[in-house]
Amino acid sequence: MYRILKMRQLTPVTRLYVVDAPLVARSAQPGQFIILRVGATGERIPITITDFDREAGTVTIVVQEVGKTTKWLAQLGEGDYIHDFAGPLGSPVELPAQGRVALVGGGFGTGAILTIAKALHGRPGITVDAIVGARNQDLLILADEVSANVDRFLACTDDGSYGYKGFVTGVLQEKIKAEEGYDLVIAVGPMPMMRAVAEVTRPYAIYTLASMDPIMLDGTGMCGACRVRVGGENRFACVDGPCFDAHKVDFEEVTRRTKMYKAEEKAALEHFEHQHEHEHECQCKKTAAVR
Amino acid sequence: MAKMKRDRHPMPLLDAAVRVNRFDEVALGYTLEMAIEEAQRCLKCKNPTCEIGCPVQSPVKDFVALLAEGKVAESVKRLREVNRLPAICGRVCPQEEQCESKCVMGVKFEPVAIGRLERFVADWERQHGFGELEPVASRGVKVAVVGAGPAGLTCAGDLAALGYQVTVFEALHAAGGVLMYGIPEFRLPKEIVETDVRRLEEMGVEFRYNVLVGRTVTIDDLMEKDGYSAVFIGTGAGLPKFMGIPGENYSGVYSANEFLTRINLLRAYKFPEYDTPLKVGKRVAVIGAGNTAMDSVRTALRVGAEQAMIVYRRTEHEMTARREEFEHAEEEGVQFNFLTNPVEILANEDGWVTGLKCVKMELGEPDESGRRKPVTVKGSEFVMPVDTVIMALGTTPNPILLRTTPGLQSNKWGCVVADPETGATTRPGVFAGGDAVTGAATVILAMGAGQKAARAIHEYLEKQAAVHA
Ligand code: FES
């Protein structure tokens, strides 16, 4: 069992958790993820590591409520326990010693670029731009933390409520055209965003990594569910990834595969919400009876 | 004494029509009367060859003799001195190739049903309560076991019995390895594995879950920072193989490991009570013909497939599955397509599997393995309409531990190099055994390797102590 030491609501649907996991914190590297199970009947879901503190023995994750598991997790607060928290999993991302780097984060992915930004921060010979996007200002997460660790923090919102109006790809495109471009681009976020980033950098042949988030079960190299076609070959995201050459990833295939359980995910959520309503009702009745 | 019985007592089975709809155990086990009667068939050979046939040298003659006298508690106690997981071995060992193949009764008649007797005494013990554990003096020396599968559990138990302080590091959230995620409930109830694990805990073995050695901690960490004097690696077989044919990543294509893990470890068959989803269609094809393939195809029937079939490019005679598993599958209505080789998986526009394109094969000349090599029959291409495909083709070694452990050597297949007699690797103090060393093999061979390594670790640590004394 892994204790939640701190919980912070970042947006109405996004929360940050600081979890007591000393062994994970001791070995965590940028680009890696953990797999958690909220409770004994739960599924195992992979979540990118947002931050870690080796001395305090803590690991920070950012979770957006999208389905049953994340909504279940959202019910937990400080002092509660997560049943299983395995990691760090996946291979650390290989970071350069010098050059111009752009870290592109979309939605909850903005949290995930933080470890990378921190690792690069202060390396001589490296300049880092963070290009992060959200639908509006309220949904932009961890702006302070990320901006403190990069040379330039370039935010954009779909509605223009903060920073550039438009998508991260627009900013990226602009920066590549107007300036001398980048030596490395790392994209973390929703699949369509990473795919779009890959298309922006492709004509310029800028080396681009995308942090893949395929279906996973064990995360240890046993089940093969996490296979992603990269350069025509099957690679396992939990062994050789999750970061792969974005120009070689078959995005169409991996996107399709991640939707394999859409109907079941919906059913699980409905089941959960139904149960929840039920519990709620019972509790109301109980309170009423006491009165 | 009654006339010598020539035939062994048959195993009572759950009716095929009933069992295909549930996960209940298929083989029901002997009654006490059946077990005693069967045990009395033993000839008590002076040189019990059956024991030589056992990879862990279980004391077959002794335990069967005690059982024949009706002394069940003593029988199981004697067996457990050597074999830590008898309820498991009694169910999943290929006895017909091991102890029973060497049984003298078997020369003229049917061999004594050693496996069934082993299972009987172990089950009896579980039902009647375990005997007291004999206290062992602690040596105050720490040993780490990596992986809680059959090799690791055996090694941990043997070392704990010698007084070592053993910690088992397991990457998943439960112990048992393949016993837990791979072998289905109807062949090995999970409660049995859990009971054996609890038994090890009572012996003082500590289990740490969610620790992937090679990522969460390294072997260097364990030995240099955390004070473990020796390490045993029993990490298992590794990543599933795929065929490399077009369409393998369509929705509805699983590796056997994924399919079985969803069901066995994560209880997807109880969705939505359990959260892990599973999608199985009406017509399921399982490619391969080993025990894992049989487990997959029989499981498919139990989770709603109307038709489940094996697709195998060789014939019945080359199948590596146990005869018993093949027969049980046939009884349950599994279809067998021999001499059939898949060449492509077809899908609809949404990427869901709709068919398996295959070619017919015929047997040609024998290959290196001595099995006749199947060759394609020209123009025999056809499409099998299926909506789920499960690949049960074996595994390739997991590279994570090797990549993060300096000084640990692998062979050309990527398996850890270890001495077959001692499990000693190329790194002092680090031992290995089971599928991580041999590639995918059987539970009992892994147990045998764990047992040998425990002995070797003990010797190694004694020597170390002598040097430093
Ligand atoms: S998640 Fe199972 S092998 Fe990668």
Side-chain angles (χ1 to χ4, degrees):
Chain A
M1 302 282 264
Y2 301 77
R3 197 175 157 96
I4 299 171
L5 299 175
K6 235 190 253 159
M7 192 276 285
R8 207 169 105 203
Q9 189 95 36
L10 300 179
T11 78
V13 292
T14 317
R15 287 153 185 252
L16 173 147
Y17 296 91
V18 179
V19 182
D20 182 27
L23 286 186
V24 184
R26 183 165 96 174
S27 320
Q29 298 286 344
Q32 291 186 300
F33 61 94
I34 56 101
I35 282 191
L36 65 78
R37 257 190 355 147
V38 183
T41 57
E43 61 177 336
R44 299 169 62 92
I45 60 160
I47 294 172
T48 308
I49 294 171
T50 287
D51 203 0
F52 50 83
D53 183 333
R54 298 206 203 286
E55 258 158 48
T58 60
V59 174
T60 304
I61 53 171
V62 169
V63 184
Q64 190 178 8
E65 282 176 44
V66 284
K68 149 127 198 216
T69 302
T70 46
K71 281 200 196 288
W72 186 10
L73 183 62
Q75 295 186 339
L76 304 185
E78 289 174 9
D80 289 337
Y81 289 87
I82 298 174
H83 205 284
D84 297 291
F85 194 88
L89 302 173
S91 297
V93 61
E94 274 177 43
L95 296 174
Q98 52 188 21
R100 290 169 50 83
V101 181
L103 305 178
V104 187
F108 61 92
T110 308
I113 63 175
L114 184 59
T115 48
I116 305 175
K118 279 192 164 178
L120 291 172
H121 191 61
R123 283 195 192 182
I126 290 252
T127 57
V128 181
D129 286 353
I131 304 175
V132 300
R135 280 212 308 282
N136 58 51
Q137 183 175 9
D138 294 339
L139 296 178
L140 202 63
I141 58 167
L142 298 176
D144 295 344
E145 287 83 346
V146 175
S147 66
N149 287 287
V150 294
D151 295 287
R152 287 193 297 183
F153 182 73
L154 309 167
C156 47
T157 48
D158 297 5
D159 64 356
S161 54
Y162 185 82
Y164 296 74
K165 180 172 169 22
F167 299 129
V168 285
T169 40
V171 180
L172 181 65
Q173 179 79 265
E174 204 176 283
K175 293 292 158 209
I176 294 172
K177 268 196 191 154
E179 300 167 12
E180 65 264 44
Y182 295 105
D183 302 306
L184 170 68
V185 172
I186 302 176
V188 192
M191 217 62 98
M193 178 220 109
M194 295 192 285
R195 187 177 187 172
V197 167
E199 289 321 310
V200 170
T201 58
R202 195 189 301 273
Y204 304 96
I206 298 171
Y207 186 52
T208 303
L209 292 170
S211 177
M212 304 311 288
D213 178 24
I215 294 177
M216 289 197 177
L217 282 190
D218 58 309
T220 72
M222 180 273 280
C223 76
C226 64
R227 59 195 190 275
V228 175
R229 207 168 286 277
V230 183
E233 246 177 72
N234 260 338
R235 305 282 298 277
F236 298 98
C238 74
V239 177
D240 299 315
C243 289
F244 290 115
D245 183 339
H247 295 152
K248 294 191 180 152
V249 168
D250 185 338
F251 277 102
E252 187 163 321
E253 187 180 270
V254 69
T255 307
R256 199 179 54 217
R257 271 179 63 79
T258 50
K259 291 192 183 136
M260 186 161 162
Y261 293 106
K262 247 193 147 164
E264 284 73 17
E265 279 158 17
K266 200 165 154 247
L269 184 58
E270 277 163 14
H271 181 79
F272 179 68
E273 283 174 342
H274 178 75
Q275 258 184 341
H276 211 63
E277 265 165 41
H278 203 68
E279 251 171 50
H280 193 70
E281 258 170 44
C282 295
Q283 266 170 13
C284 291
K285 270 189 208 140
K286 257 189 236 154
T287 346
V290 172
R291 274 187 204 142
Chain B
M1 202 172 123
K3 185 166 144 273
M4 175 78 72
K5 285 223 171 145
R6 299 165 161 241
D7 293 340
R8 49 170 45 189
H9 212 297
M11 180 60 123
L13 298 178
L14 197 61
D15 189 62
V18 175
R19 71 188 192 228
V20 288
N21 297 313
R22 5 177 172 170
F23 277 86
D24 293 1
E25 191 170 13
V26 167
L28 299 172
Y30 281 167
T31 60
L32 178 63
E33 290 71 40
M34 291 177 196
I36 291 178
E37 224 177 80
E38 180 65 27
Q40 285 168 347
R41 292 181 63 231
C42 175
L43 300 173
K44 301 192 185 135
C45 307
K46 203 150 156 232
N47 294 312
T49 42
C50 50
E51 294 180 10
I52 300 165
C54 174
V56 297
Q57 271 89 55
S58 293
V60 177
K61 182 180 167 184
D62 290 1
F63 102 81
V64 173
L66 287 163
L67 176 59
E69 293 168 33
K71 296 178 182 157
V72 192
E74 284 159 60
S75 166
V76 69
K77 186 163 176 245
R78 175 74 185 103
L79 177 57
R80 264 199 185 270
E81 282 167 16
V82 180
N83 187 333
R84 309 231 158 252
L85 311 168
I88 295 169
C89 289
R91 287 169 166 84
V92 304
C93 276
Q95 290 97 6
E96 62 281 4
E97 294 167 15
Q98 297 171 171
C99 52
E100 292 176 12
S101 77
K102 302 268 191 316
C103 175
V104 173
M105 269 296 271
V107 178
K108 270 192 160 165
F109 312 117
E110 283 190 339
V112 174
I114 301 167
R116 294 170 187 174
L117 296 180
E118 182 180 25
R119 170 186 160 153
F120 174 80
V121 295
D123 286 359
W124 184 93
E125 182 189 37
R126 208 172 51 258
Q127 283 148 15
H128 290 76
F130 290 97
E132 285 284 304
L133 283 169
E134 275 161 40
V136 203
S138 170
R139 295 169 186 268
V141 177
K142 284 166 64 174
V143 180
V145 168
V146 183
L153 293 179
T154 305
C155 187
D158 285 6
L159 288 169
L162 289 166
Y164 291 97
Q165 211 176 314
V166 184
T167 308
V168 180
F169 294 94
E170 167 57 45
L172 292 172
H173 58 257
V178 72
L179 307 169
M180 209 61 191
Y181 71 72
I183 303 176
E185 180 81 17
F186 58 81
R187 212 147 69 75
L188 176 64
K190 299 302 150 236
E191 183 225 319
I192 290 172
V193 183
E194 285 158 2
T195 311
D196 276 331
V197 169
R198 265 203 304 280
R199 187 81 178 149
L200 291 176
E201 282 175 336
E202 284 162 18
M203 290 173 72
V205 175
E206 184 199 5
F207 286 82
R208 306 263 326 244
Y209 299 105
N210 300 318
V211 178
L212 176 57
V213 176
R215 295 256 201 246
T216 315
V217 293
T218 60
I219 287 185
D220 288 347
D221 288 339
L222 292 175
M223 299 186 83
E224 282 152 29
K225 289 191 204 160
D226 301 331
Y228 291 94
S229 306
V231 177
F232 173 74
I233 300 171
T235 46
L239 282 155
K241 273 189 201 152
F242 290 86
M243 290 184 80
I245 58 175
E248 278 179 332
N249 292 2
Y250 282 135
S251 300
V253 183
Y254 294 98
S255 75
N257 274 7
E258 179 187 354
F259 181 72
L260 292 170
T261 300
R262 280 183 186 276
I263 294 165
N264 299 330
L265 177 71
L266 298 160
R267 316 272 154 109
Y269 64 99
K270 292 189 183 160
F271 180 88
E273 184 198 330
Y274 282 75
D275 292 340
T276 305
L278 173 78
K279 234 172 180 146
V280 179
K282 296 285 164 230
R283 289 175 52 89
V284 179
V286 176
I287 305 173
N291 287 319
T292 310
M294 296 306 141
D295 283 345
S296 303
V297 79
R298 297 173 67 199
T299 298
L301 282 177
R302 285 163 173 79
V303 289
E306 281 163 15
Q307 275 178 306
M309 56 206 109
I310 289 284
V311 177
Y312 183 46
R313 65 197 182 106
R314 300 177 190 253
T315 75
E316 197 183 316
H317 308 290
E318 288 86 19
M319 271 196 320
T320 54
R322 288 180 74 188
R323 189 79 209 164
E324 185 180 300
E325 302 310 321
F326 169 56
E327 283 166 8
H328 287 175
E330 258 194 333
E331 285 162 22
E332 289 167 13
V334 170
Q335 298 160 20
F336 287 82
N337 300 284
F338 294 115
L339 292 171
T340 308
N341 197 26
V343 291
E344 185 180 352
I345 299 169
L346 310 172
N348 62 20
E349 65 274 17
D350 297 327
W352 279 96
V353 173
T354 56
L356 189 61
K357 195 189 276 181
C358 298
V359 289
K360 281 283 173 201
M361 309 296 280
E362 58 193 4
L363 288 184
E365 296 299 310
D367 64 9
E368 333 67 83
S369 72
R371 300 192 292 184
R372 286 176 65 195
K373 207 177 149 101
V375 286
T376 309
V377 178
K378 277 216 179 72
S380 63
E381 206 168 270
F382 69 104
V383 173
M384 226 182 249
V386 297
D387 46 21
T388 307
V389 174
I390 299 169
M391 305 259 177
L393 305 161
T395 53
T396 54
N398 187 324
I400 294 175
L401 196 68
L402 280 157
R403 279 184 199 163
T404 56
T405 313
L408 195 62
Q409 240 172 52
S410 59
N411 62 19
K412 64 176 172 184
W413 296 282
C415 294
V416 178
V417 172
D419 183 318
E421 281 315 307
T422 63
T425 67
T426 46
R427 219 179 122 156
V430 179
F431 298 75
D435 287 1
V437 170
T438 56
T442 60
V443 167
I444 187 65
L445 286 174
M447 286 176 57
Q451 188 188 52
K452 281 182 187 159
R455 265 184 235 140
I457 288 171
H458 178 49
E459 256 171 52
Y460 166 81
L461 291 173
E462 293 266 82
K463 253 193 222 139
Q464 292 291 106
V467 170
H468 292 119

